[in-house]
Amino acid sequence: MSIQKIILLIILFVLSISTCRSNNLEEFGHDFQAYPSYLESFIEGNNIQDEIIHYFNNIKMVENKVKLIDVSSFGAKGDGNTDDTKAFEQAWQDACSSNTPVNFVVQQNKNYLLKNVHFLGPCKSFISMQIFGTLEASDNMSDYNNDRRHWILFENVENLVVGGGGTINGNGNIWWQNSCKINKNLPCKDTPTALTFYNCNKLKVKNLKIKNAQQIHVSFETCTNVEASNLMINSPENSPNTDGIHVANTHNIQISSATIGTGDDCISITSGSQKVHATDITCGPGHGISIGSLGSGNSEAHVSDINVYGAKFYGTTNGLRIKTWQGGSGSASNIKFQHIDMEGVENPIIIDQNYCDQNDPCKDQNSAVKVKNVVYQNIKGTSATDVAIKFDCSKNFPCEGITMENVNLVGENGTSKAICKNVQFNYTQHVSPYCPAEESFQDWLLNYINS
């Protein structure tokens, strides 16, 4: 084995032992002690930053093959008042041009004020960015005139790890106040996503606290081979469009051990995404886990091979949701929701092929994104409304191949019901509430011909 491969293995081992410390949890406004399965992944150890730097320094002393880059060496103050954007950009240029692996360090107990910052690749070697301190967004909206869609952007980077247990603070309050969803008299304008990964491959994002995003907290766009784990994401329940994790046109992504409470979807999965696996997810408050919306503006959309395994929902407006616009085309297929617990969820299970998120009513249209081969298995809990299951599917493109097994959702008054329209079941067993008329494909076909 070459010395370079050995060093890379050592780097990966060191990164694997770095976990987010459990202090400062109170700043998120949730009692995260309610979720011990997540918090147990945070170690109570000593100074993790010093530990990792110690390992990297030892490697460097032995083979001089790992480059340590500290943003403080490039003039970053971390005092919460000085603009540290240029220091971060210069440090990244040095890291990206290195022919040897890089450990990019953001020191703990410091608060780095940043405007838009763009970490552009491709880079020459492996980079591990360890954020031990806090990155805080400028709250001056004019600082984003050159790019109102991104705050921190990683683009075209391969073999990247971003972690360290620190905090990314989008400082989003000023953006929420000026949102057209809060003030209907204001025009709708672009708002930055806090942390965006665009066209990245072989990416790991782990052990981070991300809060108060201007809009979306973390977005993976056109990425491949992604691992996102041990993320704590939080913003107020009334903050507009603050999705926790957004997945768009991304293939082979594993999301695990995430605790998310926001003003929008905890996880949203949109067109072009394939092989998305989400496990050990805690969601609430928020709008649940959503596939979509798909097909807006009569567009073609495709999503497939989605697996949500092991999730808990607390007081969310939705649980497991698939939402498509009328007039679209394409498909959402091969989707599994398994081992799900819900408590006080308003719409625990919902497929909405008549989704309409606009001020004017949406017109009836004939085409739709096809929803097929969806499995709901081992799902239990309470619904905050009488309707625990709602399948509002298209007449022309009904939901097909729906499987439900061991589903038990009870309303807060002890009863609940299902509303099922234009849905064809492949298999059902031990389902409560059940659809009044679970029609087979043959029944639907006869009804459609005779209608």
Side-chain angles (χ1 to χ4, degrees):
M1 182 181 294
S2 68
I3 188 65
Q4 187 175 20
K5 289 183 178 179
I6 294 174
I7 292 171
L8 285 175
L9 288 172
I10 296 173
I11 293 171
L12 292 173
F13 169 76
V14 172
L15 292 174
S16 70
I17 67 170
S18 66
T19 54
C20 181
R21 293 168 302 144
S22 60
N23 60 337
N24 297 326
L25 296 181
E26 64 274 8
E27 65 181 319
F28 280 83
H30 284 330
D31 179 13
F32 287 109
Q33 291 180 353
Y35 316 124
S37 64
Y38 175 71
L39 293 179
E40 285 171 1
S41 65
F42 290 78
I43 66 172
E44 298 284 345
N46 297 319
N47 191 320
I48 307 241
Q49 177 184 359
D50 291 342
E51 181 181 352
I52 292 178
I53 292 176
H54 169 74
Y55 272 97
F56 273 98
N57 283 338
N58 283 345
I59 297 170
K60 187 175 181 180
M61 289 172 59
V62 174
E63 294 293 344
N64 197 28
K65 290 294 185 179
V66 176
K67 185 173 185 177
L68 179 63
I69 293 179
D70 188 330
V71 292
S72 299
S73 301
F74 293 81
K77 301 299 183 183
D79 58 12
N81 296 310
T82 305
D83 178 11
D84 288 325
T85 307
K86 288 186 178 179
F88 272 73
E89 291 174 341
Q90 291 171 359
W92 177 261
Q93 290 174 3
D94 192 12
C96 193
S97 61
S98 173
N99 290 315
T100 59
V102 171
N103 186 31
F104 187 112
V105 174
V106 179
Q107 290 187 11
Q108 66 178 358
N109 300 322
K110 289 183 178 292
N111 189 3
Y112 298 90
L113 183 66
L114 299 176
K115 300 176 183 179
N116 302 91
V117 59
H118 189 179
F119 299 120
L120 179 64
C123 299
K124 293 184 177 180
S125 188
F126 175 100
I127 297 178
S128 171
M129 179 180 287
Q130 296 298 306
I131 302 170
F132 300 107
T134 296
L135 308 183
E136 182 171 345
S138 166
D139 62 358
N140 186 343
M141 297 175 70
S142 64
D143 286 340
Y144 301 82
N145 287 340
N146 292 332
D147 184 359
R148 286 180 62 96
R149 297 186 59 212
H150 307 98
W151 171 36
I152 300 173
L153 171 64
F154 291 87
E155 182 175 0
N156 297 332
V157 184
E158 186 169 325
N159 294 316
L160 172 68
V161 173
V162 180
T167 299
I168 296 175
N169 181 4
N171 214 0
N173 188 59
I174 187 67
W175 297 92
W176 308 334
Q177 293 174 2
N178 288 275
S179 168
C180 63
K181 288 202 170 185
I182 299 298
N183 187 342
K184 302 296 183 182
N185 295 320
L186 294 175
C188 294
K189 296 182 179 180
D190 288 335
T191 302
T193 292
L195 179 60
T196 302
F197 297 92
Y198 178 78
N199 198 31
C200 294
N201 181 29
K202 299 177 183 177
L203 168 67
K204 290 187 178 182
V205 181
K206 60 181 184 176
N207 303 333
L208 289 174
K209 299 182 287 287
I210 306 164
K211 68 176 187 176
N212 297 333
Q214 303 92 327
Q215 189 168 274
I216 296 170
H217 286 76
V218 187
S219 183
F220 299 99
E221 304 171 14
T222 317
C223 295
T224 54
N225 303 316
V226 178
E227 294 181 24
S229 62
N230 292 339
L231 300 180
M232 188 177 290
I233 298 172
N234 177 266
S235 64
E237 187 174 2
N238 62 352
S239 57
N241 298 324
T242 51
D243 292 33
I245 299 174
H246 181 69
V247 181
N249 195 35
T250 289
H251 297 181
N252 194 25
I253 174 171
Q254 174 83 37
I255 303 168
S256 62
S257 301
T259 298
I260 306 170
T262 70
D264 210 304
D265 296 329
C266 290
I267 299 175
S268 55
I269 302 167
T270 59
S271 184
S273 297
Q274 298 178 6
K275 296 183 179 179
V276 180
H277 301 276
T279 62
D280 189 20
I281 308 299
T282 299
C283 174
H287 295 181
I289 295 178
S290 293
I291 297 175
S293 64
L294 305 173
S296 63
N298 298 338
S299 62
E300 181 177 351
H302 294 275
V303 169
S304 64
D305 300 311
I306 312 298
N307 188 6
V308 178
Y309 187 98
K312 297 178 181 180
F313 297 84
Y314 296 95
T316 54
T317 57
N318 301 287
L320 308 169
R321 177 168 62 159
I322 301 173
K323 51 182 179 178
T324 71
W325 294 72
Q326 292 188 68
S329 60
S331 65
S333 62
N334 300 331
I335 299 163
K336 293 182 179 180
F337 301 111
Q338 299 171 300
H339 299 281
I340 311 295
D341 292 331
M342 301 195 186
E343 182 177 317
V345 176
E346 293 183 20
N347 299 290
I349 293 176
I350 180 170
I351 297 178
D352 184 3
Q353 287 192 282
N354 295 293
Y355 181 73
C356 181
D357 184 21
Q358 62 185 40
N359 293 328
D360 298 327
C362 294
K363 296 180 180 180
D364 290 336
Q365 299 189 56
N366 293 326
S367 62
V369 176
K370 184 75 172 179
V371 178
K372 59 183 180 180
N373 301 335
V374 184
V375 174
Y376 301 91
Q377 188 177 55
N378 298 325
I379 299 171
K380 67 181 189 302
T382 59
S383 173
T385 60
D386 290 338
V387 179
I389 298 173
K390 183 177 181 180
F391 295 131
D392 186 10
C393 301
S394 167
K395 178 180 178 180
N396 296 327
F397 294 87
C399 302
E400 294 181 358
I402 307 300
T403 296
M404 305 191 79
E405 182 179 10
N406 296 330
V407 176
N408 186 14
L409 297 166
V410 181
E412 292 187 337
N413 61 358
T415 63
S416 60
K417 63 181 179 180
I419 297 176
C420 306
K421 179 181 177 182
N422 302 317
V423 56
Q424 302 158 22
F425 290 92
N426 181 49
Y427 176 80
T428 61
Q429 185 178 43
H430 305 306
V431 177
S432 178
Y434 60 87
C435 289
E438 297 176 353
E439 62 180 351
S440 66
F441 175 76
Q442 292 84 354
D443 293 333
W444 170 85
L445 184 60
L446 289 173
N447 291 332
Y448 180 74
I449 292 173
N450 294 328
S451 63

